[in-house]
Amino acid sequence: MVDATRRVMTVCEDGRSREVLSVRLGREGIDKTREGDQRTPTGRYPLGAPVASRDFGTFVPIRYPTVAQVRAGYTGSAVGVHGPARRVRWLGRLVNVFDTTDGCVGLATDEETTAVATWVRLHPGATIVIR
């Protein structure tokens, strides 16, 4: 669950908080409706299988837009949960001081991203709620 106001992601399992992580969001905030608007979508979305990323270390796809959103005219692609950009990962947690993604949910460190990716692999069908 991502609380966009507090800029935190809570990883939940069996209705309990397992871990709380700082996140950065889209440069233009939330409520994505179109490709390139640099906003992070809000809603509930399935998570895809984590993949290696040249730019971010690991990328966990967020299945945005939903079928209903496509019918409503929403567009967009390549939205996911990912680690810091390779060129700034040396900043550690400081990368999350500002919202710098193109619409994704950014984690501060590779270790956090690896932990989330491992959790997603162990929980097929996992979803993310962004609000």
Side-chain angles (χ1 to χ4, degrees):
M1 208 285 287
V2 174
D3 181 330
T5 302
R6 293 180 45 227
R7 299 298 194 268
V8 295
M9 172 192 283
T10 304
V11 179
C12 299
E13 188 170 347
D14 297 325
R16 294 190 181 127
S17 172
R18 183 169 175 236
E19 190 169 10
V20 178
L21 304 166
S22 168
V23 298
R24 65 191 178 288
L25 302 173
R27 288 178 183 88
E28 296 298 323
I30 58 171
D31 296 326
K32 182 172 201 60
T33 59
R34 63 182 172 79
E35 181 89 29
D37 64 7
Q38 296 186 332
R39 293 178 179 273
T40 300
T42 53
R44 177 182 293 272
Y45 304 95
L47 292 170
V51 295
S53 167
R54 181 176 50 97
D55 296 327
F56 303 108
T58 301
F59 186 87
V60 180
I62 295 173
R63 301 292 185 211
Y64 166 87
T66 64
V67 171
Q69 288 172 325
V70 169
R71 282 192 212 119
Y74 289 30
T75 61
S77 62
V79 176
V81 177
H82 62 70
R86 302 296 78 193
R87 69 184 181 286
V88 296
R89 67 181 170 179
W90 61 272
L91 287 168
R93 298 196 187 293
L94 289 176
V95 300
N96 281 359
V97 170
F98 300 103
D99 288 329
T100 59
T101 77
D102 288 337
C104 293
V105 175
L107 296 170
T109 68
D110 287 341
E111 292 77 20
E112 291 174 349
T113 311
T114 298
V116 168
T118 299
W119 187 91
V120 169
R121 285 184 187 101
L122 293 172
H123 297 86
T127 61
I128 188 169
V129 176
I130 306 168
R131 59 179 187 176

